[in-house]
Amino acid sequence: MPIHHLLHDPVILVLLAASLGSWGIIIDRLLALGRCRGADRAFQQGRASSGVLAHLARLRDEHAAGGREHLATLMDTAITVARHRLEGWLPVLGVIGNTAAYVGLLGTVIGIIHAFQAMKVQNTMSTEVVASGIATALVATACGLGVAIPAVAGHHLLSAAINRRVAEWEDTAAQWLPKEEADEPVARA
């Protein structure tokens, strides 16, 4: 089965585009996580930083007088915005991972239908016609799995890394919040 034949198959082309897209998203999110880690590390080492920890520190310094609740809301909002930026196209990666195997299966079904049509047109049940058609059809399944497996793995691993980063930001923000003042006891008469 020649490669040029596969490049005319719309299912294979869709899977090729999905594969390129998923790898692009995986690489982009890995780079974004690396930039976040580097910016946070720079801040922790006392160097100038434009990372999330530096932003949280600026919020703490500028809004501490507004009270604990106000500052907590600002920090939570900043962390939520940073999480959304880090997640980026991650939902698309999840969709690719969840649908690519089905697209490959669709290609297999279409390929088998073409194999049966070829048998009908040639009016033969030769193993050459059947094997060639089915082999071509199964390439779509393999391609679908080849796209789905890295996309699902990338989605899960990136989601876990983002969750860890966000948890670190939340822990730091909680430590930086002013302590709650205990209610003064009411004097009894």
Side-chain angles (χ1 to χ4, degrees), residues 34-112:
R35 285 189 300 270
C36 272
R37 259 192 300 272
D40 288 348
R41 194 173 303 120
F43 175 80
Q44 290 167 338
Q45 294 171 349
R47 295 180 295 173
S49 171
S50 61
V52 175
L53 287 180
H55 181 62
L56 294 175
R58 280 191 301 278
L59 287 174
R60 176 196 63 199
D61 296 342
E62 294 170 6
H63 298 279
R68 179 182 173 83
E69 290 301 316
H70 175 69
L71 185 57
T73 300
L74 290 174
M75 287 183 166
D76 285 345
T77 301
I79 290 170
T80 300
V81 168
R83 172 192 277 279
H84 288 295
R85 284 190 184 133
L86 261 184
E87 288 173 343
W89 289 86
L90 211 54
V92 174
L93 185 62
V95 169
I96 290 171
N98 286 323
T99 59
Y102 294 113
V103 173
L105 181 60
L106 174 65
T108 299
V109 170
I110 292 170
I112 290 174

Side-chain angles (χ1 to χ4, degrees), residues 1 130-140:
M1 122 190 53
V130 174
S132 173
I134 291 176
T136 302
L138 290 176
V139 168

